[in-house]
Amino acid sequence: MTITITAFANSPDQGRGLARDMRVRWALEEVGQPYEVRLVPWEKFKEEAHLARNPFGQIPTYEEGDLTLFESGAIVFHIAERFPGVLPSDANARARAIMWMFAALSTVEPPIVDADIVEYAERGKSWQGERRAMVNERIRVRLSELSARLGDDWLDGDFSAADILMVHVLRRLEGSGMLEDYPNLSAYIARAEARPAYQRAFAAQLAVWEAAT
């Protein structure tokens, strides 16, 4: 059965691999599964056809046969369970990998997303500067905690779906200056970006942006 994912027809990340379809592309590349992409223009996000796939009108979505999924974390988890390659076979190691998947999305990502909200949605507010400082401090606390836990390789033993999600979350901070304070986190991201599967996924997303512009 053909796997089809949805992505931005004209992504706001301008081809930098930050949109959340990148997580799904990367996971599919890691497990060696071909896929097709349905590109959704901005004006189509709230139309019935797309809302049938994602009631919140977002990307990515995943379709395979009669299965339709939304939420990038759930999709990556499904791919990891459906195809071998990005979850350990040992039960305890598998449980820890799933734990780290939740940590990436529930613990590390929220303050990073808040920083984007402060920067773009709350621009010009009288309290923006104060709120930005508070959010940035929350991010630094999480980065310090993650840096202290991370070794010189992956989150827990071999590379897994947890690393896909964690690295993609951390990449949203590129250009902020924060990652430079944590050399092991920067090296962690660089190791992931050097993986052939990551490079194929990044090139595929970038090609969409280049074609649109």
Side-chain angles (χ1 to χ4, degrees), residues 107-185:
T107 302
V108 180
E109 186 173 45
I112 296 174
V113 172
D114 278 351
D116 286 341
I117 294 172
V118 171
E119 184 63 28
Y120 299 107
E122 300 176 356
R123 183 173 294 171
K125 303 294 185 182
S126 61
W127 36 260
Q128 184 188 27
E130 182 179 0
R131 178 156 147 72
R132 180 189 290 117
M134 292 172 60
V135 170
N136 286 348
E137 179 58 25
R138 288 172 54 212
I139 293 171
R140 290 190 180 93
V141 168
R142 290 301 184 219
L143 294 180
S144 295
E145 293 165 340
L146 180 61
S147 176
R149 174 62 175 78
L150 184 68
D152 295 323
D153 202 5
W154 306 113
L155 287 171
D156 192 283
D158 294 335
F159 178 87
S160 76
D163 296 294
I164 292 175
L165 294 179
M166 187 67 79
V167 167
H168 193 254
V169 165
L170 294 175
R171 284 201 61 236
R172 295 177 70 101
L173 292 172
E174 290 178 353
S176 69
M178 292 188 187
L179 290 170
E180 286 76 0
D181 294 333
Y182 306 93
N184 66 332
L185 295 184

Side-chain angles (χ1 to χ4, degrees), residues 30-42:
E30 289 284 355
V31 299
Q33 289 299 310
Y35 60 95
E36 296 181 355
V37 182
R38 177 189 295 104
L39 299 177
V40 181
W42 283 105

Side-chain angles (χ1 to χ4, degrees), residues 26-144:
W26 185 5
L28 288 168
E29 293 288 354
E30 289 284 355
V31 299
Q33 289 299 310
Y35 60 95
E36 296 181 355
V37 182
R38 177 189 295 104
L39 299 177
V40 181
W42 283 105
E43 62 272 16
K44 302 289 187 182
F45 272 84
K46 301 304 180 181
E47 292 188 358
E48 184 177 348
H50 186 62
L51 291 175
R53 293 184 289 266
N54 184 326
F56 304 107
Q58 298 174 322
I59 63 101
T61 64
Y62 174 104
E63 295 167 79
E64 184 184 11
D66 59 359
L67 175 66
T68 299
L69 298 173
F70 61 91
E71 288 297 328
S72 60
I75 296 169
V76 171
F77 184 40
H78 170 73
I79 292 168
E81 289 203 309
R82 172 87 167 78
F83 307 104
V86 288
L87 274 183
S89 56
D90 175 77
N92 286 350
R94 187 183 187 91
R96 290 193 301 270
I98 295 169
M99 171 190 71
W100 277 111
M101 293 175 73
F102 277 85
L105 301 183
S106 299
T107 302
V108 180
E109 186 173 45
I112 296 174
V113 172
D114 278 351
D116 286 341
I117 294 172
V118 171
E119 184 63 28
Y120 299 107
E122 300 176 356
R123 183 173 294 171
K125 303 294 185 182
S126 61
W127 36 260
Q128 184 188 27
E130 182 179 0
R131 178 156 147 72
R132 180 189 290 117
M134 292 172 60
V135 170
N136 286 348
E137 179 58 25
R138 288 172 54 212
I139 293 171
R140 290 190 180 93
V141 168
R142 290 301 184 219
L143 294 180
S144 295

